[in-house]
Amino acid sequence: MTTLTHLVLAFAALLPTAGGVEAPPPAKLLNVVATTPDLAALARAIGGAAVDVKALAKPTEDPHFVDAKPSLVVTLNRADMLIEGGAELEMGWLPPLLESARNDRIAAGSPGRVSASTGIRMLEVPTSFDRSKGDVHSMGNPHFLLDPVNVRLVVTQIAQHMAQVDPASAALFRDNLKNFLATLEVKAAAWQKELEPFRGAKIVTYHKDFVYLAERYKLEVAETLEPKPGIEPSPIHLAAVIGTMRAQKVRVILVQPFQNRKTAETVARQTDAVVLDMPQQPGVKPNTATYFDLMDSLVHTLATALQEKK
Amino acid sequence: MRPMFRLGVLLCLAGTAGAQQSPDSTARRQQRMLDSLAAALTAVQGKLDSISSAPPPAAPARTSGAYMNVSFVGLTDFAWSSEKDLGALQVGDHEPHVRGFAIPNAELALDGTVDPYLKAFVNIVHKLDANGETGVELEEMYFLTTSLPHNLQVKGGQFFAEFGRQNPQHPHSWAFADQPLALNRMFGPEGLRSQGLRVSWLLPTSFYTEATVAVLNSAGTTTWSFRSDESAQIHAGAPVDRAVRGVGDMLYVPRLATSVDLSETQTLLFGVSGAFGPNNSGDAAKTRVYGADVYWKWKSPTARKGFPFVAFQGEGLVRRYDAASRTAVDAFRVALPAATLKDDGAYAQVQWGIRPMLVAGLRAEYATGNGVVAETPFTTAERANRNRYSTNLTWFPTEYSKFRIQYNYDHRAWVGNDHTVLLQFEFLLGAHAAHKF
């Protein structure tokens, strides 16, 4: 009977979580600022009705090259929370903004500061600092959100920090996190299933920005149009890429909105390949406002192209 | 975690345990199993409850491995001009002063966080003069507060005064190889910088508005229009060795800057500045400099590495130099009467980022000493009328290096027209701090 008592108690303890929490309407919305729209989408999913989320970078903008506009100083000055990708993604523009924003709530190490790359198993961490290898991030490749496993860590961290900054809404954040993780589990399985037939398929990307997607779904990045990260494509390198693509029958080139589509099209014409618009930020393509919609779109676009070009 | 599922399993097991008549050992084993499952369940609940306080899963510490960023900017020039005395034409400190090769700026920059309350920045500049001798100067060294209340921030040490747009910028941020004439005239070859304190306040307005005021020492070669020995070039009199008697003898530099985003792709920044302090033409003489600056930038919404873009920058400066009655520096018997020397100058420049890493620039500028007539004793080369038109093309192989070619058409009153070509190469080592807008 002791066991049954335990169980009843345990059941009672579970009830509020299992049944969902009705959060009291927040008196003041938590001002959350994310450096990029993908992080903003995750913050919206976890923060729900308790937060107001803004992104510093535009969805079509290269997150490495955002202008440190004064309006962003004001946005950061009013923020209760800042979510950054970290791993040097924003190092070219965020430091001067933070310096001018003079906001202690989002200082490094405070509950209001989330560095999304914390705890992520980073890929391509260089063993030496050498810019002859291009603009390599010393802490590894920062484009890690295309791997759903990493997103688990990021949203958990966001929920934790939100609960610390706004304890009154902690139950709401916990509940939203639970729902997000449950959906993620289902979605991740679906994405895995959709890309499973293309295990080992070869792709070409413009920049080294799809390595986490490739790693998760066992695709192989055969070449990048940039000879080295951040270095403009040269005719000699493109000729080599075309050779590789022909030899290995690579039929898709992935580009983002801020990359040179014309260069990709030139290569595609000579290799019977197709150029895929694969923006990593939500909102560039219609109906991709959430992380799930974005990933649905990316996975489906890729799977369809790989199927057609098989 | 699927607590409901686990709970169902546990309830089924509990039901089975209650209904079954088993030997004691089996019952004990089942009891133990149930106990451990119940414990696991409690742990799951505990985990869910503690989500707001638990550390993130698998969070290895990541640091950059150093307490400060170290970087080095090397700038080399090659210059040729129709003017043999290039130093009379190119008067900025970070410009070539002879025909041929020059290393006008090699900058060691250090920056980092001091403690939870302060950041610090240091710039040490090396220059080779025309004889190849190395000069070293502590260009900037200051702390900056990080956590003052009411949106305040204090900077202290030696730093470039925040007057206008270009004065606080280091040469590697300039769009041209040389400093605008107006800034040369008002603030001298090295720009306006000195030792002191600066307080800044970010106003609680919906758009960006920042008010700053600096209180600086008013003496030295880097306070050109104030208590600087070189200011004899402005007022043409023998400088008075003038001590600081009170706070009125300090240099005050206020500034108000505001900015709005005109659209998703366009930003406008506007500022007004002033610099007020004593000068050494006499015992009580003062200088006032007023400035207005504007910066407008358009950048494509799908910019690749920040290109294409178009940026306009303009500044206008006015100086009112109250020269006391004084002895002419080159003729000791000549007494110059007291007068207010009125000078002004302006420049406007456009930068067009054509495609990634290629920028074209155009600049027009003038500087003048109003009311100056060639024969009056107030006339100095420093205050003569001058117009300059420049164009350049800059190619950045990467963000860490650049090649620039620039042509200047220069008109100096009473001297004539000159043509100058400047070639510039610059490289950057290390993690240089990111740039402001």
Side-chain angles (χ1 to χ4, degrees):
Chain A
M1 290 315 279
T2 27
T3 316
L4 275 178
T5 319
H6 274 265
L7 284 173
V8 169
L9 284 175
F11 186 59
L14 271 176
L15 263 178
T17 328
V21 179
E22 285 301 316
K28 179 185 163 287
L29 293 185
L30 197 65
N31 246 324
V32 179
V33 175
T35 53
T36 51
D38 51 358
L39 291 169
L42 296 179
R44 270 184 209 106
I46 303 304
V51 300
D52 178 37
V53 183
K54 287 189 185 76
L56 298 179
K58 289 188 271 287
T60 51
E61 198 167 20
D62 186 340
H64 301 88
F65 295 91
V66 176
D67 279 332
K69 293 190 293 188
S71 57
L72 305 184
V73 170
V74 178
T75 305
L76 284 169
N77 176 257
R78 315 279 149 90
D80 299 310
M81 255 186 103
L82 169 64
I83 305 170
E84 61 170 338
E88 300 177 351
L89 177 70
E90 303 96 343
M91 75 180 299
W93 52 277
L94 192 58
L97 290 174
L98 287 172
E99 194 180 295
S100 300
R102 56 200 85 178
N103 181 350
D104 242 4
R105 296 188 298 277
I106 56 169
S110 61
R113 178 75 163 268
V114 178
S115 186
S117 57
T118 307
I120 302 286
R121 190 176 61 85
M122 302 293 283
L123 299 178
E124 299 182 336
V125 180
T127 48
S128 65
F129 295 169
D130 182 357
R131 286 204 176 122
S132 71
K133 292 170 184 161
D135 192 6
V136 177
H137 292 259
S138 69
M139 294 163 91
N141 189 313
H143 308 281
F144 50 79
L145 284 184
L146 294 191
D147 180 349
V149 173
N150 291 339
V151 170
R152 280 184 71 96
L153 296 176
V154 174
V155 287
T156 305
Q157 203 195 162
I158 290 174
Q160 276 175 349
H161 281 256
M162 280 184 176
Q164 282 181 47
V165 175
D166 181 10
S169 303
L172 172 74
F173 303 141
R174 191 179 62 190
D175 203 37
N176 286 344
L177 174 65
K178 243 177 53 129
N179 291 337
F180 186 95
L181 292 179
T183 311
L184 185 66
E185 206 167 316
V186 176
K187 285 284 190 183
W191 298 328
Q192 188 80 48
K193 197 176 163 198
E194 192 166 3
L195 286 175
E196 187 58 37
F198 310 106
R199 183 179 272 262
K202 291 179 169 135
I203 59 173
V204 164
T205 63
Y206 191 94
H207 177 67
K208 283 200 158 195
D209 44 8
F210 287 92
V211 291
Y212 289 87
L213 187 88
E215 161 103 351
R216 175 58 49 201
Y217 299 109
K218 303 298 170 221
L219 306 170
E220 190 191 321
V221 182
E223 278 285 7
T224 55
L225 299 189
E226 287 180 341
K228 291 170 182 175
I231 305 295
E232 285 288 291
S234 65
I236 293 171
H237 176 70
L238 291 179
V241 171
I242 289 168
T244 309
M245 287 180 72
R246 282 177 180 160
Q248 302 188 12
K249 299 195 168 38
V250 189
R251 296 283 186 258
V252 293
I253 304 173
L254 280 55
V255 298
Q256 297 213 57
F258 46 84
Q259 293 165 348
N260 194 342
R261 206 179 195 282
K262 274 187 191 160
T263 304
E265 279 166 356
T266 308
V267 174
R269 266 197 302 278
Q270 302 193 38
T271 52
D272 188 29
V274 61
V275 178
L276 297 185
D277 290 312
M278 296 274 284
Q280 292 187 2
Q281 298 299 334
V284 178
K285 285 186 172 181
N287 306 317
T288 58
T290 69
Y291 178 74
F292 297 126
D293 292 341
L294 174 75
M295 281 296 285
D296 277 344
S297 163
L298 291 180
V299 168
H300 191 64
T301 306
L302 188 56
T304 308
L306 289 171
Q307 181 65 41
E308 281 172 5
K309 288 286 179 181
K310 220 173 184 178
Chain B
M1 300 302 159
R2 293 164 171 270
M4 284 304 285
F5 174 70
R6 286 200 182 192
L7 188 67
V9 172
L10 284 172
L11 285 173
C12 289
L13 283 169
T16 320
Q20 236 174 11
Q21 295 297 320
S22 328
D24 276 3
S25 60
T26 315
R28 273 201 302 275
R29 203 170 60 239
Q30 284 182 341
Q31 183 63 49
R32 275 202 304 276
M33 205 166 84
L34 282 168
D35 283 348
S36 68
L37 280 170
L41 189 64
T42 315
V44 167
Q45 182 58 45
K47 236 178 189 174
L48 286 168
D49 289 340
S50 66
I51 229 162
S52 61
S53 57
R62 289 186 181 280
T63 68
S64 60
Y67 286 109
M68 67 179 175
N69 298 316
V70 180
S71 71
F72 184 88
V73 182
L75 176 65
T76 63
D77 282 337
F78 175 83
W80 206 264
S81 174
S82 54
E83 165 66 87
K84 285 193 203 74
D85 177 14
L86 194 63
L89 208 59
Q90 297 298 121
V91 288
D93 214 37
H94 303 290
E95 301 162 18
H97 298 128
V98 290
R99 286 176 175 175
F101 297 94
I103 298 184
N105 192 59
E107 179 182 316
L108 179 67
L110 313 169
D111 76 272
T113 306
V114 179
D115 57 28
Y117 319 107
L118 298 175
K119 289 181 137 193
F121 302 81
V122 181
N123 276 77
I124 300 161
V125 170
H126 297 64
K127 290 171 290 190
L128 293 189
D129 67 15
N131 301 317
E133 294 291 323
T134 306
V136 179
E137 68 183 18
L138 183 63
E139 193 174 58
E140 287 199 285
M141 187 197 77
Y142 61 87
F143 68 82
L144 192 64
T145 62
T146 58
S147 50
L148 286 187
H150 309 300
N151 283 345
L152 293 171
Q153 190 178 57
V154 173
K155 186 192 254 191
Q158 167 156 289
F159 49 88
F160 281 105
E162 279 147 333
F163 186 111
R165 183 164 176 85
Q166 183 151 327
N167 186 65
Q169 290 179 344
H170 288 235
H172 57 91
S173 306
W174 299 350
F176 287 78
D178 40 17
Q179 218 181 16
L181 293 173
L183 296 186
N184 280 154
R185 293 270 174 110
M186 308 297 178
F187 301 136
E190 297 189 50
L192 181 62
R193 66 185 159 90
S194 190
Q195 309 84 44
L197 275 178
R198 171 278 243 170
V199 180
S200 134
W201 179 41
L202 187 65
L203 274 71
T205 45
S206 60
F207 53 90
Y208 169 85
T209 315
E210 188 175 354
T212 58
V213 61
V215 183
L216 302 164
N217 286 345
S218 56
T221 54
T222 55
T223 52
W224 183 258
S225 292
F226 304 92
R227 290 195 302 133
S228 155
D229 286 347
E230 285 79 358
S231 66
Q233 292 185 39
I234 303 169
H235 59 74
V240 170
D241 191 9
R242 178 177 167 178
V244 172
R245 291 158 301 200
V247 289
D249 284 332
M250 303 298 282
L251 169 61
Y252 295 87
V253 184
R255 170 169 172 80
L256 186 69
T258 186
S259 171
V260 285
D261 289 337
L262 300 174
S263 69
E264 280 288 293
T265 55
Q266 293 178 65
T267 299
L268 184 69
L269 180 70
F270 178 73
V272 286
S273 313
F276 310 107
N279 69 53
N280 63 359
S281 67
D283 207 31
K286 299 219 178 257
T287 302
R288 306 176 298 286
V289 185
Y290 308 93
D293 57 281
V294 62
Y295 181 72
W296 168 88
K297 184 174 180 181
W298 168 86
K299 192 176 92 173
S300 158
T302 53
R304 188 157 47 99
K305 296 180 193 297
F307 293 80
F309 72 86
V310 179
F312 172 85
Q313 177 176 323
E315 287 191 61
L317 293 97
V318 173
R319 180 173 64 198
R320 293 291 173 264
Y321 194 101
D322 291 334
S325 171
R326 61 215 182 275
T327 313
V329 75
D330 52 359
F332 291 113
R333 296 196 179 165
V334 177
L336 303 172
T340 297
L341 307 179
K342 299 175 181 174
D343 298 77
D344 61 87
Y347 72 89
Q349 67 188 38
V350 180
Q351 275 182 286
W352 175 31
I354 305 164
R355 60 174 180 75
M357 310 331 238
L358 189 66
V359 185
L362 260 180
R363 181 179 68 187
E365 52 183 335
Y366 83 92
T368 182
N370 288 344
V372 173
V373 180
E375 289 73 28
T376 69
F378 300 129
T379 303
T380 66
E382 223 279 331
R383 303 188 56 236
N385 288 354
R386 186 171 170 188
N387 300 319
R388 188 166 72 180
Y389 304 93
S390 311
T391 181
N392 70 11
L393 193 65
T394 310
W395 173 55
F396 300 80
T398 67
E399 297 145 68
Y400 309 103
S401 60
K402 78 177 174 214
F403 291 91
R404 173 173 286 163
I405 180 165
Q406 179 172 325
Y407 164 75
N408 289 352
Y409 171 81
D410 218 318
H411 172 78
R412 287 179 292 167
W414 313 311
V415 179
N417 300 330
D418 283 297
H419 309 272
T420 305
V421 173
L422 300 166
L423 298 171
Q424 202 176 35
F425 170 69
E426 192 179 88
F427 64 84
L428 164 65
L429 294 174
H432 196 67
H435 286 169
K436 294 191 170 193
F437 185 68

